[in-house]
């Protein structure tokens, strides 16, 4: 059995190769490789801190990474029709899991975000990409059928999603979902008055959350205190030390010390490990890779004359970029620590799978002629 990658081949794999955007694919591959390398750098130290076998997290992450690569390939080969279908099924499944989490979830550090099904999964990581695609479809249907209330249906989906996330509670994920939805509303071309009203409502709700929820107050006050009083939290302080120690070229592979003092060095604080051992040069390459995924995706979508593709791709790219930005900013005391993983790099099965679904859909919807191939599938 042989695989042909010639342009004349009609095979699925060959068609995928010649239509997928190579720059996007390269950026995603680079980030996945960084995840493997940094996992081997940070995880053994964290495992010892937790009295586990040295390569406990490395072996698990290797399995997660193999599954994630398969997910990226699978979703990136889909057309518009199947992307929409799987978004509906995925959203229904994620909502069901979030409801189960409310009643049967594992309580960790005052939050109930995980389900134990033989292994711990975090359903909120899976709802982001499918929510984005589903709401984009609602706006597209409204554009084609004027009587369909796509905006209000998407608002209902937003309300349901945010209610379930806040119940956990997961304020960071809620903010990401709201910001992405507002971006889709703006790009869909609705009245600027409606957009301004919705934006003001989001700000009011954020203010009420700060006043009414102690958890939110602690995070925001901690950030402000750290910036202006020069008293960062312990993990953030050690993170800043790692950036300083690493300099431009790093102290060397395996020579970093920050991973021995931060329990989350393999997850939320993996970026400082890269900074200390590999230096600012590698960190800039990682930032460039994330920026490439976001900017390239949005540029490719701008060439399409299909609202579903534009809103889906922009929403997925913004979600991906926000999560990366929040994670990196929190490690440098430029934002509150939110427990948000660095996409495709941080340890964790749920975050890796959720990110893989998102970038897989991005690769699918930015493929050449993806709209032309699926014209007969609309509806």
């Amino acid at each position: 059995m042989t695989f042909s990658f010639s342009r004349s081949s009609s095979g699925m794999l060959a068609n995928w190769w010649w239509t997928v955007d190579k720059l996007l694919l390269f950026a995603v591959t680079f980030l996945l490789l960084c995840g493997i390398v940094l996992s081997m750098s940070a995880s053994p130290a964290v495992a010892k801190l937790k009295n586990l076998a040295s390569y406990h997290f490395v072996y698990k992450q290797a399995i997660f990474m193999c599954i994630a690569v398969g997910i990226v390939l699978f979703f990136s080969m889909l057309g518009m029709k199947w992307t929409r279908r799987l978004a509906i099924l995925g959203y229904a499944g994620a909502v069901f899991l979030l409801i189960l989490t409310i009643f049967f979830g594992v309580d960790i550090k005052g939050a109930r975000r995980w389900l134990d099904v033989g292994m711990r999964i975090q359903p909120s990581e899976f709802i982001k990409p499918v929510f984005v695609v589903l709401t984009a479809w609602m706006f597209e249907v409204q554009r084609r059928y004027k009587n369909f209330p796509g905006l209000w249906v998407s608002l209902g989906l937003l309300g349901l999603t945010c209610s379930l996330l806040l119940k956990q509670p997961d304020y960071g994920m809620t903010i990401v979902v709201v910001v992405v939805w507002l971006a889709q509303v703006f790009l869909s071309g609705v009245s600027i008055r409606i957009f301004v009203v919705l934006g003001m409502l989001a700000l009011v709700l954020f203010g009420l959350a700060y006043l009414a929820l102690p958890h939110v107050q602690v995070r925001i006050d901690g950030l402000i205190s750290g910036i202006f009083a020069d008293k960062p939290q312990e993990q953030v302080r050690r993170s800043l030390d790692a950036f300083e120690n690493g300099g431009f070229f790093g102290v060397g592979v395996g020579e970093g010390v920050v991973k021995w003092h931060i329990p989350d060095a393999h997850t939320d604080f993996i970026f400082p490990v890269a900074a200390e051992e590999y230096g600012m040069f590698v960190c800039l390459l990682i930032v460039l890779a994330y920026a490439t995924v976001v900017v390239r995706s949005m540029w490719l979508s701008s060439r399409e004359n299909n609202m579903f593709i534009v809103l889906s791709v922009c929403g997925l790219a913004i979600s991906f970029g926000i999560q990366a930005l929040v994670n990196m900013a929190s490690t440098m005391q430029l934002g509150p620590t939110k427990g948000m993983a660095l996409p495709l790099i941080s340890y964790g099965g749920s975050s890796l799978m959720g990110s893989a679904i998102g970038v897989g859909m991005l690769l699918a919807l930015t493929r050449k002629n993806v709209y032309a191939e699926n014209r007969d599938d609309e509806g």
Side-chain angles (χ1 to χ4, degrees):
M1 182 177 180
T2 59
F3 297 99
S4 174
F5 284 89
S6 66
R7 289 185 179 273
S8 60
S9 174
S10 58
M12 179 181 293
L13 196 59
N15 180 64
W16 170 82
W17 175 252
W18 291 113
T19 57
V20 73
D21 187 77
K22 303 303 188 297
L23 183 56
L24 267 181
L25 184 62
F26 174 79
V28 169
T29 302
F30 173 76
L31 291 172
L32 286 169
L33 290 174
C34 286
I36 295 173
V37 173
L38 292 176
S39 176
M40 290 190 291
S41 291
S43 295
V46 176
K48 288 186 178 181
L49 288 175
K50 298 178 182 290
N51 295 317
L52 298 170
S54 294
Y55 289 94
H56 173 82
F57 295 115
V58 175
Y59 293 144
K60 292 182 70 174
Q61 187 70 351
I63 295 173
F64 295 149
M65 196 68 70
C66 290
I67 297 173
V69 170
I71 290 174
V72 171
L73 290 174
F74 172 76
F75 276 92
S76 65
M77 291 182 182
L78 297 176
M80 282 171 46
K81 179 179 179 179
W82 277 103
T83 300
R84 292 194 296 250
R85 285 179 174 177
L86 290 183
I88 295 174
L89 293 175
Y91 183 79
V95 167
F96 177 69
L97 291 176
L98 283 173
I99 293 173
L100 287 182
T101 304
I102 295 173
F103 296 101
F104 306 107
V106 179
D107 197 313
I108 300 177
K109 297 180 181 179
R112 186 170 292 184
R113 303 174 188 171
W114 295 267
L115 268 179
D116 195 336
V117 292
M119 61 176 290
R120 288 181 182 173
I121 61 172
Q122 189 175 350
S124 59
E125 292 287 351
F126 301 108
I127 204 167
K128 288 184 302 180
V130 292
F131 169 81
V132 169
V133 173
L134 190 54
T135 52
W137 191 15
M138 295 302 99
F139 286 114
E140 165 63 10
V141 175
Q142 178 175 277
R143 184 191 66 82
R144 288 192 284 119
Y145 304 102
K146 301 301 182 182
N147 293 329
F148 181 78
L151 173 63
W152 304 111
V153 173
S154 70
L155 182 59
L157 293 172
L158 176 71
L160 173 62
T161 303
C162 291
S163 298
L164 294 172
L165 291 175
L166 290 172
K167 190 66 177 178
Q168 295 185 348
D170 192 338
Y171 304 113
M173 196 71 73
T174 303
I175 292 174
V176 171
V177 169
V178 171
V179 169
V180 171
W181 182 78
L182 285 173
Q184 288 183 313
V185 171
F186 178 77
L187 292 171
S188 69
V190 300
S191 167
I192 191 66
R193 292 181 180 179
I194 295 178
F195 177 77
V196 170
V197 170
L198 292 172
M200 292 178 65
L201 178 61
L203 290 175
V204 170
L205 292 175
F206 176 77
L208 292 175
Y210 175 80
L211 295 174
L213 301 172
H215 179 75
V216 177
Q217 287 185 7
V218 169
R219 293 296 179 95
I220 300 300
D221 291 346
L223 170 66
I224 296 174
S225 174
I227 293 176
F228 293 103
D230 196 26
K231 294 179 181 179
Q233 299 173 0
E234 177 65 15
Q235 290 200 111
V236 177
R237 183 183 67 79
R238 292 191 179 276
S239 174
L240 294 174
D241 290 341
F243 282 98
E244 183 177 353
N245 294 340
F248 200 76
F249 296 105
V251 297
V253 180
E255 300 298 321
V257 298
V258 65
K259 59 193 177 187
W260 296 100
H261 302 285
I262 298 181
D264 298 326
H266 62 322
T267 54
D268 303 342
F269 283 84
I270 199 168
F271 195 55
V273 175
E276 185 175 32
E277 296 193 2
Y278 298 93
M280 190 57 61
F281 178 73
V282 170
C283 286
L284 290 174
L285 288 179
I286 292 174
V287 173
L288 179 61
Y290 283 116
T292 298
V293 172
V294 175
V295 176
R296 179 70 174 177
S297 298
M298 297 181 76
W299 181 78
L300 290 172
S301 72
S302 69
R303 303 187 304 173
E304 296 289 344
N305 188 29
N306 180 276
M307 183 178 289
F308 170 71
I309 292 179
V310 173
L311 296 186
S312 294
V313 171
C314 289
L316 290 168
I318 291 171
S319 173
F320 187 77
I322 288 177
Q323 187 168 338
L325 182 63
V326 168
N327 176 279
M328 292 185 288
S330 65
T331 65
M332 294 183 284
Q333 203 186 351
L334 298 176
T337 53
K338 279 307 307 159
M340 197 168 286
L342 190 59
L344 302 180
I345 292 182
S346 290
Y347 170 84
S350 296
S351 63
L352 188 55
M353 304 309 160
S355 297
I357 292 171
V359 296
M361 289 179 167
L362 267 180
L363 289 169
L365 295 173
T366 53
R367 282 170 40 217
K368 297 175 183 176
N369 303 319
V370 66
Y371 177 44
E373 292 175 0
N374 293 273
R375 285 181 187 272
D376 59 338
D377 291 331
E378 289 190 296

